[in-house]
């Protein structure tokens, strides 16, 4: 019996020392920040697309200046916040740091800035 006890103890100690994989569920503050930035970027993409369509004359009366400026602003804010989320994240995907949302905010924010810039350029030419 003492031999069995000696053999079982190191195995049990080894199992209890191993780190548990990080799996965070729920909304952490970092995830909320990244999600908000991604949603703002999505709004910027929609505004930029609508402003681009208006400046091309497909929708409305061809005035897309305010929508273009709003898309530029929303996209720029989303890019900055998404970048800050990505830079300050301690771990990878699934750790609750919002890194996936940060990357989504970066990409959609850049798209919003490009669409807003194109719409702004077209609205200046038309006006």
């Amino acid at each position: 019996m003492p031999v069995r006890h000696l053999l079982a103890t190191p195995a049990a100690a080894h199992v209890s020392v191993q780190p548990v994989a990080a799996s965070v569920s729920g909304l952490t503050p970092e995830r909320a920040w990244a999600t908000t930035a991604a949603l703002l970027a999505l709004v910027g993409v929609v505004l930029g697309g609508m402003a681009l369509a208006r400046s091309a004359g497909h929708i409305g009366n061809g005035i897309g200046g305010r929508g273009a400026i709003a898309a530029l602003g929303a996209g720029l804010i989303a890019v900055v916040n998404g970048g800050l989320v990505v830079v300050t994240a301690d771990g990878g995907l699934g750790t609750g740091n919002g890194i996936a949302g940060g990357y989504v905010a970066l990409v959609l924010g850049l798209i919003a800035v490009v669409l807003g810039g194109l719409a702004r350029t077209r609205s200046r030419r038309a006006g």
Side-chain angles (χ1 to χ4, degrees):
M1 193 80 143
V3 173
R4 204 184 277 170
H5 176 69
L6 290 174
L7 292 176
T9 304
H14 178 68
V15 170
S16 65
V17 174
Q18 289 186 4
V20 178
S23 67
V24 178
S25 63
L27 190 63
T28 62
E30 292 85 5
R31 282 182 179 168
W33 182 19
T35 303
T36 304
L39 288 175
L40 182 64
L42 184 62
V43 168
V45 169
V46 169
L47 287 174
M50 289 177 64
L52 192 60
R54 282 187 185 143
S55 67
H58 296 297
I59 302 174
N61 57 2
I63 301 171
R66 279 186 263 163
I69 292 172
L72 283 168
L76 185 62
I77 292 170
V79 165
V80 169
N81 281 300
L84 285 173
V85 168
V86 169
V87 168
T88 59
D90 294 334
L93 291 173
T95 58
N97 290 315
I99 198 160
Y103 282 126
V104 169
L106 275 170
V107 171
L108 288 179
L110 287 173
I111 292 170
V113 167
V114 168
L115 288 176
L118 286 173
R120 183 76 179 138
T121 315
R122 280 193 182 172
S123 68
R124 279 188 174 174
R125 285 186 201 161

